[in-house]
Amino acid sequence: MFIKFIITVHIVVSVFLIFVILLQPGKGDAMAAFAGGGGGANTVFGGRGSVTFLSKVTTVCAIIFMLTSLTLAWRSPHSASVLRARRNIAAQEKAEKKDANPLAPPGTAPAPAAPAPAEK
């Protein structure tokens, strides 16, 4: 339940962050405001209001995005799967080697085959 909520928040914040970044004016738009262009942002937010407001919203969205990313990574059910798989494979290989020659003590090489008797 908690993970589903965090995933939902993460997706919503991701889409909102994309739109907020796309709404921000470029560096060239600041100069256009003095030349008579870009007046729409000046009337809604004031002189520098749109830039500071959108940058604050971007900062908040980025912080929420990072927190949800870290939470999802921390709560991931597959966090130890690679290490667990390697341990299982090593244990299986060890068991197979042990089962191959149960009479031989561990760490010894198999006995060489006896030479065939010579024919006369």
Side-chain angles (χ1 to χ4, degrees), residues 69-108:
S69 296
L70 291 173
T71 303
L72 288 171
W74 180 62
R75 297 285 303 218
S76 174
H78 305 291
S79 60
S81 63
V82 173
L83 296 176
R84 190 178 305 127
R86 285 186 180 177
R87 279 186 245 138
N88 290 342
I89 291 171
Q92 287 175 355
E93 289 176 354
K94 187 176 181 181
E96 288 174 3
K97 286 180 183 178
K98 190 174 187 180
D99 291 339
N101 192 358
L103 300 177
T108 59

Side-chain angles (χ1 to χ4, degrees), residues 32-59:
F34 296 115
N42 290 340
T43 59
V44 176
F45 298 108
R48 290 265 311 153
S50 67
V51 176
T52 58
F53 174 74
L54 289 176
S55 66
K56 287 179 184 178
V57 170
T58 304
T59 303

Side-chain angles (χ1 to χ4, degrees), residues 6-23:
I6 295 296
I7 290 172
T8 305
V9 170
H10 187 72
I11 291 171
V12 170
V13 168
S14 300
V15 172
F16 190 71
L17 186 62
I18 290 169
F19 287 126
V20 169
I21 289 173
L22 290 175
L23 283 175

